[in-house]
Amino acid sequence: MKTPLTALSFALSASALTLRQSPCCFHLTATGGPSGPLGQLSDGQNRIGQGSPPSTYCISADGGLTDHSGRGCILTGPTTQFQCDTGAGATPGFSVGCDGMLVYNGMAKFVACPTGDQGGFNVYVRAPQGQGGCVDVMLAADSCKAGCPSPAAAPTQKSCPPNLSGIWEFPHLIIPIDASNPTKAYGTSYNGHISSNKSAIFNFDFPPSLAGKTCTLIFLLPTQDKLVTSSFTLSGSGEVVFARLEKPATEATSWGNMPGAEEEFGVARLRPGESYVVASFACPAGEREGFVMGAKLPSADPINLEWFQDWNPEAVGLYISAC
Ligand SMILES: *[C@@H]1O[C@H](CO)[C@@H](O)[C@H](O)[C@H]1NC(C)=O
Ligand SMILES: *[C@@H]1O[C@H](CO)[C@@H](O)[C@H](O)[C@H]1NC(C)=O
């Protein structure tokens, strides 16, 4: 049964959206640096410390935040300070990750910088130039987690380590496909590029020696500083979908003639420094299988991820871990 990837993406995003009732409200707690509830000054500046009571933030379907006074939360230019201003249109692109962390543009990292006033800290996306004492923080929400990957096809199936510490396989063929260029067959590639139009198919050859073992499809995204020969750039929401195809790809595969999706694996929200278990299944020993990875669509802020797939010494990309 052929399911075009566009239908797949729509089906998955529809189910992810139902997880989040709009608007959904939460409190935020800073962790990792100065810790404690995120409160506000009377003018709407968000503060860690300084005795401000916890504020409530509500998130809209497009990822805009408003505070309990209905003020739109913005990142002021040029410093990227996170504050909520009367009459301001909320900056889109926020979300609450599966682990409850507030994410902006795919990143769960914010920066807290001391205000010099009663031990308080302002919150930024990037440390302002010339500002000392800034530390990285995460902001944990107590509600509204969304876009959690749906459980793998066989929830009772054990999964193998989400790293390359044991038996593992790399894809023997990576085929880029482009929805805006549906008849073009790009042939083999060492790079992955996932954006609103660009997806990629990965063929894995499962050796006969994997008979009777479990295979776990994993996506690895270390932080950039750990990478030596590989590299990546990531922007947007970070949300991707994966599916197993009815047939593997060939070098003649294009968006227009790609095999149908046989099994969908749900949505993952990629963040540097994390590895993802996409699915676990009995290893199809002696066979070749194709898996497709694409942006979760529609999206207010689709992912744009490019990487060079390599595994020396830290891997980035799609792999099979077997156990
Ligand atoms: C790989 O993952 C396993 C299971 O999560 C963990 O115990 C092990 O320490 C990891 N190995 C490396 C090298 O990260
Ligand atoms: C990507 O696809 C959209 C339609 O989905 C189209 O409007 C846009 O021009 C395409 N972008 C590129 C770079 O081809």
Side-chain angles (χ1 to χ4, degrees), residues 160-165:
C160 305
N163 56 40
L164 306 184
S165 62

Side-chain angles (χ1 to χ4, degrees), residues 4-306:
L5 186 65
T6 41
L8 164 72
S9 305
F10 275 98
L12 291 170
S13 57
S15 61
L17 280 176
T18 56
L19 293 174
R20 181 198 289 167
Q21 274 144 24
S22 204
C24 183
C25 304
F26 50 85
H27 306 98
L28 289 169
T29 304
T31 62
S35 56
L38 196 64
Q40 285 178 299
L41 301 187
S42 57
D43 67 0
Q45 288 185 67
N46 295 307
R47 279 279 150 98
I48 304 167
Q50 228 169 306
S52 345
S55 287
T56 304
Y57 303 89
C58 298
I59 190 162
S60 64
D62 70 350
L65 300 177
T66 47
D67 68 9
H68 54 92
S69 310
R71 292 177 290 206
C73 301
I74 58 170
L75 301 167
T76 53
T79 59
T80 73
Q81 188 185 341
F82 178 43
Q83 62 188 58
C84 310
D85 283 4
T86 304
T91 301
F94 289 89
S95 57
V96 178
C98 203
D99 56 1
M101 294 300 168
L102 185 70
V103 174
Y104 175 66
N105 266 353
M107 298 285 289
K109 182 174 83 70
F110 295 84
V111 178
C113 303
T115 60
D117 188 10
Q118 299 168 55
F121 287 81
N122 283 333
V123 178
Y124 302 83
V125 169
R126 285 184 304 279
Q129 279 213 322
Q131 165 92 44
C134 300
V135 280
D136 290 354
V137 289
M138 312 252 275
L139 298 172
D142 58 3
S143 181
C144 312
K145 298 177 191 182
C148 298
S150 50
T156 54
Q157 185 90 40
K158 66 170 178 173
S159 66
C160 305
N163 56 40
L164 306 184
S165 62
I167 309 169
W168 56 276
E169 291 290 327
F170 61 90
H172 288 171
L173 190 66
I174 303 178
I175 298 287
I177 50 177
D178 185 347
S180 55
N181 227 331
T183 58
K184 184 165 165 84
Y186 288 84
T188 188
S189 172
Y190 290 104
N191 299 295
H193 188 175
I194 308 296
S195 67
S196 55
N197 297 334
K198 293 184 163 65
S199 306
I201 301 177
F202 302 80
N203 280 2
F204 285 92
D205 293 296
F206 295 86
S209 58
L210 293 183
K213 293 195 184 304
T214 296
C215 279
T216 298
L217 187 65
I218 54 175
F219 192 86
L220 304 179
L221 197 61
T223 47
Q224 188 69 59
D225 57 295
K226 295 226 175 89
L227 300 176
V228 178
T229 53
S230 48
S231 62
F232 68 88
T233 57
L234 171 66
S235 61
S237 70
E239 290 176 332
V240 289
V241 293
F242 296 90
R244 183 209 305 265
L245 297 178
E246 286 172 333
K247 283 189 300 198
T250 69
E251 294 201 13
T253 298
S254 65
W255 171 268
N257 69 10
M258 68 181 280
E262 186 174 72
E263 189 181 0
E264 302 169 2
F265 294 136
V267 181
R269 190 190 302 269
L270 304 183
R271 286 209 297 263
E274 298 196 357
S275 46
Y276 298 84
V277 168
V278 178
S280 282
F281 40 83
C283 294
E287 292 184 22
R288 173 175 297 167
E289 296 235 359
F291 299 88
V292 66
M293 174 180 182
K296 193 195 80 146
L297 296 174
S299 168
D301 185 22
I303 187 173
N304 195 344
L305 170 67
E306 285 190 75

